[in-house]
Amino acid sequence: MIDYEYDKQVYNRNFLNCAQRQSIVVLKDMGYPVDLLFYNAQVETDLFREHSFVKDIPRFDFLYNGLTDEDFRHVGIVRTETKCDTFQEAKPQLLEYIERDSFVLMSCNLLYIPHRPEYFGKSSVLHFNTLKKYDADTDIWAAIDDQASGVLMHCEFPSSFLKTIYDGGIDRCFRSFQQIEVPHNVDVDRFNSLFTESRKTRSDSFKVLGDLEALTDADTRLTRLANVFALIYGSRLCFAQFLQLRKDSEKAHTLALEISQKAGRLRDLLTISAASGRVNKDKICALGQEIFSNELHLSSLIDN
């Protein structure tokens, strides 16, 4: 297990995909104010509903208009993606970026990764792991990767293993994060401006929260609904990290955390319901109504 409390408690797999999460965790450890990047993480529930119910896309493939290349640049990081057909071809650049940036994210295929048994030998899934160091004498790479439990861990991979998981990948590429500005020079006011602008275009009907009774009628819907609340849980947790940096947002920060906790409980309740076939609609709808009210209150605190 890796020594980052904020890995599991904040930047978990409910909202962020593997590449987003690992880069955020490593950059935070390096001192970068990555919490600023979540200025627009109160993502509309309409988008979560569309993602899960209309498009039926896996939760870990959710993308929103945040954590962009431009956002990273505002905290002093130039994020780039490079494509190479083979690991052997990519290796010199991987070493170059590790020397320059202290880490690099390399794409791979979970089909070939034993410490992810839920996918190993079963299905091809695009994944990223973080390479931190290379020992030429032993041909071993120090890395960071996800466990099945969702907690990041330190790993040691031989080049032969990286070749297998990279060359067998769906999208063979790697991402670098060049530091162009030291953390304490980051312009916080710029993010406050981005935050203000993001609120002007935000619109949410909360339809998914109003349809909970109807959406709990089938097991497949329960699973998709659980994914919606997983996304609400993770996004509001990240949003709370940003609000915590704003001196006038103490109440909003507390409320965002409350929404996150309730969404996490509802996610768990829906997951158990899908597995057991026993659905407590009254409890589900009551908790959903609390989240609905809290969301409206949070927006009113911020926008008025």
Side-chain angles (χ1 to χ4, degrees), residues 246-270:
R246 291 172 56 85
K247 295 179 181 178
D248 60 344
S249 297
E250 183 177 347
K251 290 183 179 179
H253 167 254
T254 300
L255 190 54
L257 287 178
E258 184 178 340
I259 293 169
S260 175
Q261 292 165 0
K262 289 178 179 178
R265 293 206 304 272
L266 190 43
R267 172 207 59 188
D268 293 343
L269 181 59
L270 289 162

Side-chain angles (χ1 to χ4, degrees), residues 127-144:
H127 181 57
F128 283 85
N129 56 36
T130 302
L131 304 180
K132 295 274 290 179
K133 192 176 181 181
Y134 176 65
D135 187 331
D137 292 333
T138 61
D139 196 26
I140 295 294
W141 300 71
I144 295 171

